[in-house]
Amino acid sequence: QMCIRDRERDLIREFERIDANQDGAISPGEWGRAGGSDPEFERMDTNKDGVVSKDEYVRAHKLQWIEAVPLWARLTLSGAMAGTITKTSTAPLDRVKVLLQVQSMSAGTSGKYSGILGTTRTMVTEEGVLSLWKGNGANCARVVPVYAARFAFNDLLKDAVREPGQSRKQLRLDQLVVSGTGAGLLQQLLCYPFETVRTRLSLGAAFGNKYSGIADCFVSMIRSEGVGSLY
């Protein structure tokens, strides 16, 4: 947001420099003398009154650098950021849920956890406050490839099932089902190891297995159980 405000101030100063007669609008002549092109002037003149106002000039250029970024990259980045915030916010409840679900699998932990508050209290007492977010790093790391794979595979498979002369908007339901299912399968194949590592990091301490981090968990699993353990 600060970058956008700074960009807006720079654009206003730039507008005032081009507006030679200081009448609050850039004429075609002033734009031409500044080295601008006619198509760009027409693009900025959204209300088609023959001049470009300060608001029109700022609006046309303020987010130009963002629009230059490919759509898939913007969607991936925004999705990854939103996913990271969401996963981090709900990580404590997610870990409590998993511990309550699996505690009966181990004789040493059966009955140890009781209810949301009780489980949270036990985790904080035994492992510290940061234990509430144990495994969250892997969860957040998983978000980026998940979104990147989703958009990449979806577009690639849509192109693969298209018939000659058919646009993406003209795809039939069966084509969308095939491309969407394929994208989901490929995404899971690529990203599932991160889900496995997240679960191991969340439950490691409860079952007597301690990992120092994401990389250590990956390496330990592959060494002791093989690559198939990631799936």
Side-chain angles (χ1 to χ4, degrees):
Q1 190 68 27
M2 290 180 63
C3 290
I4 293 176
R5 286 199 297 268
D6 290 341
R7 172 66 172 159
E8 188 171 336
R9 282 194 292 268
D10 292 340
L11 288 170
I12 290 174
R13 286 194 292 268
E14 191 175 284
F15 173 88
E16 292 171 348
R17 178 181 60 79
I18 298 172
D19 181 21
N21 61 6
Q22 300 298 303
D23 64 349
I26 298 175
S27 66
E30 290 172 328
W31 182 246
R33 286 191 291 276
S37 65
D38 292 341
E40 190 174 5
F41 185 88
E42 293 174 2
R43 181 182 64 84
M44 293 187 296
D45 183 18
T46 54
N47 60 10
K48 306 304 178 185
D49 59 355
V51 294
V52 175
S53 68
K54 183 184 295 183
D55 288 342
E56 286 177 323
Y57 185 84
V58 171
R59 189 163 55 246
H61 293 87
K62 183 166 64 174
L63 300 179
Q64 200 172 42
W65 64 277
I66 295 179
E67 292 170 353
V69 178
L71 178 61
W72 67 266
R74 280 183 276 159
L75 290 173
T76 300
L77 180 60
S78 59
M81 291 173 64
T84 299
I85 293 171
T86 301
K87 294 295 184 183
T88 301
S89 301
T90 60
L93 286 174
D94 191 46
R95 190 169 184 231
V96 167
K97 177 200 72 174
V98 174
L99 286 173
L100 289 172
Q101 287 175 334
V102 303
Q103 67 170 328
S104 60
M105 295 171 61
S106 173
T109 60
S110 182
K112 179 180 179 179
Y113 303 108
S114 176
I116 296 175
L117 293 178
T119 303
T120 302
R121 190 181 303 113
T122 300
M123 283 194 298
V124 172
T125 301
E126 294 185 353
E127 305 175 56
V129 175
L130 291 180
S131 66
L132 297 174
W133 285 273
K134 187 170 288 185
N136 187 54
N139 211 15
C140 293
R142 171 180 167 272
V143 168
V144 177
V146 161
Y147 278 88
R150 179 178 300 171
F151 291 116
F153 289 139
N154 198 38
D155 287 346
L156 285 173
L157 291 177
K158 279 183 178 179
D159 290 337
V161 300
R162 276 193 303 166
E163 297 173 354
Q166 186 182 36
S167 69
R168 288 180 183 175
K169 293 182 179 180
Q170 296 172 327
L171 291 176
R172 301 186 306 271
L173 177 61
D174 60 313
Q175 292 173 306
L176 291 172
V177 169
V178 170
S179 62
T181 302
L185 289 172
L186 290 172
Q187 173 196 313
Q188 283 292 90
L189 183 65
L190 178 66
C191 303
Y192 194 80
F194 287 99
E195 181 68 22
T196 304
V197 168
R198 181 192 71 84
T199 304
R200 290 287 186 105
L201 288 172
S202 296
L203 302 177
F207 286 86
N209 296 316
K210 292 188 177 181
Y211 303 104
S212 61
I214 298 173
D216 178 54
C217 186
F218 265 112
V219 173
S220 298
M221 288 178 63
I222 293 173
R223 282 178 177 171
S224 60
E225 304 171 58
V227 177
S229 64
L230 296 173
Y231 295 90

